[in-house]
Amino acid sequence: MKINKAYKFRLEPNAEQEVILNNLVGSARFVWNQMLAVSFEMFAKNEFINATNLVNKIMDIKANPEFAFLKTSSNAVSLQQKIRDLASAWSRFFDPKVHARLKENKKKPKKPKFFKLADGTEIQLRPLMPRFKRKSDGCDSIRLVQFDKYCRVEGNRVKLPNGVGFVKFRKSQDIIGVIKNTTISKKSGHWYVSFGTEHEVETPHHPSNTAIGIDLGVSKLVTGSNGQCFKPKSSFKANQGELAKLQRQLSRKVLFSNNWKKQNRKIQKLHHHIANIRHDYLHKISTDISKNHAMIVCEDLKVVNMSRSASGTLENKGRNVKAKSGLNKSILDQGWGMMIDMMDYKQQWHGGLLIKVDPRYTSQTCFKCKHVAKENRRTQAEFECVECGHQENADINAAKNILSAGHAVLSVEGGCSKSRPLKQKTCGLREKVT
């Protein structure tokens, strides 16, 4: 079995190395914007846009005397990879399946934006189209392939091309496997290095033989069918006051002035801090669950639909807008989708299984008699079946129903065959009993 992993570490370049790295990521950002403008021209003329057509145009940009700095302050391999990323973005735009998913997640229409072509005409920037990158975004990166040819790792140092030399990084764990590529990124003023590795292992067998159903929530992040619970971290809620204070200070600055840029960097760092807290906590929870259970069953939640605004329109005003806004913030603060994705690939590493089931009526169904009624769940925490009188914690009852639906998926699909996908749904929908 082939396993691909990425190891990300904090990079610590000195002042001279940081200047070179800034030039490299800046050149990559510049070429992205130039090629994006070219691709808009191609799009207006209905020309075919793919990686080969775009990569071949890099030499035209380098040959331009106005862009002579690209010959000394850029890396040819990283520029090609950046343009391939642009081609992938266009492929996603032309994919009808992606547009179909976008239509399912209905959002409020935004004010249209336009791009002016060389002949003076304008084209509308549609959803999913690639966008121009800005230095003020605080997020730049370059990717280097053929790692053995251009780079190498010695202890806690990595050798980078273009005169950067050996750069120290905080090696918090051993790098397992053959390094295929490396990504140098800058986010919120900090540098990071990520190594993409590949290694062969025997088909893993999960050390555990237990199964668990998990119910995701706001008051309790995870509730297991075995009674295990994980409280939410709510990193955004904890830092919301400080973030609002910094944003108020930003609104008083002159747009794009030096003071505005300094304040904007403070906001970016705080957002980065909030995301790191959430990411670290979800990694710990997903690792704990995936190590201890061979099968994990969860709900196939549509977080975008669940966190949709309730403000309504000018004609039809929404109801309970403030309460729904607070609930939306709490839902997005938990990172449900990220945690499920983490458990998905970690189950593959351990030889386990992740199953997604239909989430409808899992919280209203009695685990004992399978009676479905809205009156069964009288409060957020209490569940009492009006048919058989069964009483239990509402989240645990829902988790048990989720696990039962997961077992039904396995029985319908014929067990754990190698060709069966890891993500599945039940074939039929449970009808509500009135």
Side-chain angles (χ1 to χ4, degrees):
M1 179 180 176
K2 186 181 293 184
I3 292 182
N4 296 317
K5 281 188 178 183
Y7 297 87
K8 189 174 182 179
F9 305 100
R10 178 81 169 267
L11 199 62
E12 297 180 333
N14 57 35
E16 296 179 359
Q17 293 170 337
E18 192 168 4
V19 171
I20 300 175
L21 291 175
N22 277 319
N23 291 336
L24 292 177
V25 298
S27 299
R29 182 180 64 250
F30 176 81
V31 171
W32 168 285
N33 291 336
Q34 292 294 320
M35 292 306 302
L36 180 56
V38 172
S39 61
F40 279 138
E41 299 280 352
M42 297 171 65
F43 178 77
K45 298 176 183 178
N46 292 324
E47 296 182 9
F48 186 60
I49 302 175
N50 64 356
T52 304
N53 293 342
L54 295 179
V55 169
N56 291 338
K57 296 181 182 296
I58 296 179
M59 297 306 298
D60 297 336
I61 296 179
K62 285 188 173 183
N64 191 331
E66 296 180 3
F67 309 146
F69 64 91
L70 292 176
K71 296 181 179 179
T72 58
S73 301
S74 66
N75 181 276
V77 175
S78 64
L79 295 185
Q80 291 182 7
Q81 295 300 311
K82 185 65 70 174
I83 300 308
R84 292 185 185 278
D85 291 342
L86 176 60
S88 299
W90 277 109
S91 299
R92 186 170 178 268
F93 169 75
F94 291 121
D95 189 352
K97 294 182 180 180
V98 179
H99 281 276
R101 289 195 294 268
L102 182 66
K103 290 181 180 179
E104 292 179 0
N105 305 328
K106 295 180 181 179
K107 294 183 178 180
K108 286 185 178 180
K110 296 182 179 180
K111 184 178 180 181
K113 296 182 180 180
F114 298 88
F115 175 76
K116 184 177 288 187
L117 302 175
D119 58 0
T121 60
E122 293 183 339
I123 62 171
Q124 183 177 347
L125 300 180
R126 307 176 192 176
L128 300 178
M129 269 188 175
R131 293 292 192 264
F132 291 97
K133 296 182 181 293
R134 298 179 298 179
K135 184 178 181 180
S136 59
D137 293 339
C139 185
D140 287 312
S141 66
I142 57 173
R143 185 171 65 254
L144 300 170
V145 295
Q146 300 178 354
F147 183 85
D148 294 337
K149 184 176 180 181
Y150 301 103
C151 313
R152 70 175 183 271
V153 174
E154 293 183 1
N156 64 339
R157 301 189 306 165
V158 56
K159 185 181 183 301
L160 300 177
N162 292 84
V164 179
F166 283 97
V167 187
K168 291 183 180 180
F169 65 94
R170 300 181 183 179
K171 191 175 182 180
S172 55
Q173 58 179 318
D174 294 331
I175 303 173
I176 302 174
V178 180
I179 301 176
K180 294 294 185 179
N181 59 71
T182 182
T183 301
I184 310 298
S185 58
K186 183 180 183 182
K187 192 167 186 178
S188 302
H190 298 300
W191 290 95
Y192 298 91
V193 58
S194 178
F195 302 104
T197 66
E198 179 182 287
H199 68 285
E200 291 280 349
V201 296
E202 296 181 359
T203 303
H205 298 281
H206 205 284
S208 175
N209 57 1
T210 61
I212 186 174
I214 59 173
D215 178 63
L216 304 178
V218 174
S219 58
K220 296 177 183 177
L221 177 57
V222 176
T223 303
S225 56
N226 59 355
Q228 185 181 20
C229 295
F230 292 94
K231 295 182 179 179
K233 202 73 173 178
S234 301
S235 58
F236 177 81
K237 184 177 181 181
N239 294 275
Q240 190 173 5
E242 180 66 20
L243 183 61
K245 178 182 176 182
L246 294 177
Q247 289 174 335
R248 285 195 298 269
Q249 294 174 352
L250 180 70
S251 65
R252 303 187 187 102
K253 310 293 183 185
V254 178
L255 191 64
F256 300 125
S257 65
N258 288 333
N259 287 333
W260 183 90
K261 292 178 181 177
K262 291 178 183 178
Q263 190 68 21
N264 191 41
R265 283 194 290 269
K266 291 181 181 179
I267 296 175
Q268 289 176 354
K269 287 184 178 180
L270 183 56
H271 274 298
H272 189 46
H273 176 66
I274 293 171
N276 283 343
I277 294 174
R278 181 186 302 113
H279 198 255
D280 176 71
Y281 187 60
L282 295 181
H283 262 302
K284 292 176 180 177
I285 293 177
S286 59
T287 299
D288 181 86
I289 296 175
S290 62
K291 279 186 175 181
N292 296 318
H293 302 284
M295 186 177 80
I296 302 173
V297 187
C298 63
E299 296 172 304
D300 188 15
L301 299 174
K302 305 296 182 184
V303 179
V304 175
N305 296 340
M306 295 175 65
S307 59
R308 189 179 298 164
S309 175
S311 58
T313 61
L314 292 176
E315 295 79 14
N316 300 320
K317 300 293 185 180
R319 294 181 299 174
N320 300 325
V321 177
K322 188 174 182 180
K324 185 63 169 67
S325 176
L327 177 61
N328 292 348
K329 286 182 180 180
S330 299
I331 291 174
L332 296 174
D333 196 12
Q334 307 311 316
W336 293 342
M338 184 187 299
M339 183 174 61
I340 292 174
D341 290 341
M342 289 177 180
M343 288 190 292
D344 186 11
Y345 68 75
K346 288 177 183 179
Q347 282 295 88
Q348 296 183 42
W349 291 348
H350 297 130
L353 184 67
L354 175 73
I355 300 176
K356 293 184 179 182
V357 299
D358 197 318
R360 285 183 283 185
Y361 307 123
T362 54
S363 61
Q364 300 176 7
T365 304
C366 176
F367 176 70
K368 293 293 184 181
C369 67
K370 305 303 178 185
H371 177 72
V372 183
K374 184 178 180 181
E375 293 76 17
N376 286 346
R377 189 167 185 173
R378 298 180 179 180
T379 64
Q380 183 68 26
E382 296 179 358
F383 182 92
E384 183 177 355
C385 181
V386 296
E387 185 73 14
C388 68
H390 171 66
Q391 295 182 356
E392 196 171 17
N393 180 274
D395 295 328
I396 297 178
N397 179 78
K400 289 181 178 179
N401 288 328
I402 293 169
L403 178 60
S404 178
H407 284 299
V409 168
L410 289 182
S411 62
V412 169
E413 296 293 336
C416 303
S417 61
K418 292 184 179 179
S419 60
R420 185 176 51 76
L422 294 177
K423 296 182 181 179
Q424 300 184 27
K425 300 179 183 178
T426 51
C427 296
L429 301 179
R430 186 185 295 116
E431 296 183 359
K432 184 178 179 181
V433 178
T434 57

mmCIF file of all heavy atoms in Angstrom, residues 11 19 35 72 174 210 231 244 291 336 372-373 376 400:
data_model
loop_
_atom_site.group_PDB
_atom_site.id
_atom_site.type_symbol
_atom_site.label_atom_id
_atom_site.label_comp_id
_atom_site.label_asym_id
_atom_site.label_seq_id
_atom_site.Cartn_x
_atom_site.Cartn_y
_atom_site.Cartn_z
ATOM 1 N N LEU A 11 9.819 27.368 9.292
ATOM 2 C CA LEU A 11 11.117 27.674 8.688
ATOM 3 C C LEU A 11 11.684 28.926 9.341
ATOM 4 O O LEU A 11 10.947 29.878 9.628
ATOM 5 C CB LEU A 11 10.947 27.878 7.183
ATOM 6 C CG LEU A 11 12.181 27.760 6.293
ATOM 7 C CD1 LEU A 11 12.777 26.359 6.361
ATOM 8 C CD2 LEU A 11 11.834 28.107 4.859
ATOM 9 N N VAL A 19 15.203 37.703 2.242
ATOM 10 C CA VAL A 19 15.111 38.583 1.065
ATOM 11 C C VAL A 19 14.987 37.752 -0.207
ATOM 12 O O VAL A 19 14.153 38.032 -1.092
ATOM 13 C CB VAL A 19 16.338 39.518 0.990
ATOM 14 C CG1 VAL A 19 16.368 40.263 -0.336
ATOM 15 C CG2 VAL A 19 16.327 40.501 2.151
ATOM 16 N N MET A 35 -0.114 35.589 -16.156
ATOM 17 C CA MET A 35 -0.696 34.486 -16.920
ATOM 18 C C MET A 35 -2.219 34.434 -16.753
ATOM 19 O O MET A 35 -2.927 33.996 -17.665
ATOM 20 C CB MET A 35 -0.085 33.160 -16.465
ATOM 21 C CG MET A 35 1.379 33.003 -16.826
ATOM 22 S SD MET A 35 1.715 33.244 -18.574
ATOM 23 C CE MET A 35 0.676 32.005 -19.302
ATOM 24 N N THR A 72 16.619 36.663 -12.731
ATOM 25 C CA THR A 72 17.537 36.595 -11.587
ATOM 26 C C THR A 72 16.828 36.339 -10.254
ATOM 27 O O THR A 72 17.444 35.856 -9.313
ATOM 28 C CB THR A 72 18.329 37.911 -11.473
ATOM 29 O OG1 THR A 72 17.412 39.009 -11.341
ATOM 30 C CG2 THR A 72 19.197 38.125 -12.716
ATOM 31 N N ASP A 174 10.195 13.031 12.863
ATOM 32 C CA ASP A 174 10.987 12.452 11.783
ATOM 33 C C ASP A 174 10.184 12.419 10.490
ATOM 34 O O ASP A 174 8.962 12.217 10.494
ATOM 35 C CB ASP A 174 11.431 11.030 12.150
ATOM 36 C CG ASP A 174 12.400 11.016 13.323
ATOM 37 O OD1 ASP A 174 13.135 12.010 13.477
ATOM 38 O OD2 ASP A 174 12.414 10.021 14.077
ATOM 39 N N THR A 210 -13.465 -2.388 17.353
ATOM 40 C CA THR A 210 -14.694 -1.729 17.797
ATOM 41 C C THR A 210 -15.184 -0.752 16.732
ATOM 42 O O THR A 210 -14.421 -0.301 15.879
ATOM 43 C CB THR A 210 -14.461 -0.972 19.111
ATOM 44 O OG1 THR A 210 -13.450 0.034 18.905
ATOM 45 C CG2 THR A 210 -14.018 -1.923 20.207
ATOM 46 N N LYS A 231 -15.536 18.232 24.357
ATOM 47 C CA LYS A 231 -16.060 19.592 24.399
ATOM 48 C C LYS A 231 -15.461 20.431 23.278
ATOM 49 O O LYS A 231 -14.337 20.188 22.846
ATOM 50 C CB LYS A 231 -15.753 20.231 25.754
ATOM 51 C CG LYS A 231 -16.462 19.565 26.925
ATOM 52 C CD LYS A 231 -16.155 20.287 28.228
ATOM 53 C CE LYS A 231 -16.894 19.623 29.395
ATOM 54 N NZ LYS A 231 -16.602 20.301 30.685
ATOM 55 N N ALA A 244 -12.595 42.011 16.924
ATOM 56 C CA ALA A 244 -13.464 43.158 16.659
ATOM 57 C C ALA A 244 -12.755 44.477 16.982
ATOM 58 O O ALA A 244 -12.899 45.483 16.258
ATOM 59 C CB ALA A 244 -14.746 43.035 17.470
ATOM 60 N N LYS A 291 -7.541 5.985 16.205
ATOM 61 C CA LYS A 291 -6.660 4.958 16.758
ATOM 62 C C LYS A 291 -7.408 3.902 17.555
ATOM 63 O O LYS A 291 -6.978 2.744 17.624
ATOM 64 C CB LYS A 291 -5.582 5.605 17.645
ATOM 65 C CG LYS A 291 -4.402 6.178 16.881
ATOM 66 C CD LYS A 291 -3.335 6.658 17.846
ATOM 67 C CE LYS A 291 -2.091 7.131 17.097
ATOM 68 N NZ LYS A 291 -1.031 7.587 18.036
ATOM 69 N N TRP A 336 -16.353 21.075 11.552
ATOM 70 C CA TRP A 336 -16.824 19.705 11.391
ATOM 71 C C TRP A 336 -16.243 19.035 10.149
ATOM 72 O O TRP A 336 -15.770 17.898 10.196
ATOM 73 C CB TRP A 336 -18.355 19.681 11.301
ATOM 74 C CG TRP A 336 -19.054 20.067 12.558
ATOM 75 C CD1 TRP A 336 -18.504 20.087 13.824
ATOM 76 C CD2 TRP A 336 -20.407 20.490 12.709
ATOM 77 N NE1 TRP A 336 -19.442 20.502 14.741
ATOM 78 C CE2 TRP A 336 -20.626 20.757 14.088
ATOM 79 C CE3 TRP A 336 -21.461 20.676 11.819
ATOM 80 C CZ2 TRP A 336 -21.852 21.188 14.559
ATOM 81 C CZ3 TRP A 336 -22.688 21.106 12.298
ATOM 82 C CH2 TRP A 336 -22.871 21.358 13.659
ATOM 83 N N VAL A 372 -40.217 7.526 15.258
ATOM 84 C CA VAL A 372 -39.721 8.843 14.845
ATOM 85 C C VAL A 372 -40.792 9.882 15.118
ATOM 86 O O VAL A 372 -41.924 9.764 14.631
ATOM 87 C CB VAL A 372 -39.350 8.864 13.347
ATOM 88 C CG1 VAL A 372 -38.761 10.215 12.970
ATOM 89 C CG2 VAL A 372 -38.376 7.743 13.026
ATOM 90 N N ALA A 373 -40.454 10.867 15.913
ATOM 91 C CA ALA A 373 -41.381 11.964 16.196
ATOM 92 C C ALA A 373 -40.590 13.159 16.714
ATOM 93 O O ALA A 373 -39.594 13.001 17.427
ATOM 94 C CB ALA A 373 -42.438 11.544 17.219
ATOM 95 N N ASN A 376 -40.182 13.535 20.520
ATOM 96 C CA ASN A 376 -39.257 12.690 21.278
ATOM 97 C C ASN A 376 -38.143 13.499 21.929
ATOM 98 O O ASN A 376 -37.724 13.199 23.042
ATOM 99 C CB ASN A 376 -38.645 11.630 20.366
ATOM 100 C CG ASN A 376 -39.630 10.524 20.024
ATOM 101 O OD1 ASN A 376 -40.667 10.408 20.649
ATOM 102 N ND2 ASN A 376 -39.297 9.719 19.023
ATOM 103 N N LYS A 400 -26.049 6.559 18.657
ATOM 104 C CA LYS A 400 -26.386 5.137 18.505
ATOM 105 C C LYS A 400 -27.171 4.891 17.224
ATOM 106 O O LYS A 400 -26.974 3.878 16.537
ATOM 107 C CB LYS A 400 -27.179 4.665 19.721
ATOM 108 C CG LYS A 400 -26.358 4.562 21.003
ATOM 109 C CD LYS A 400 -27.207 4.060 22.167
ATOM 110 C CE LYS A 400 -26.368 3.914 23.436
ATOM 111 N NZ LYS A 400 -27.184 3.439 24.591
#
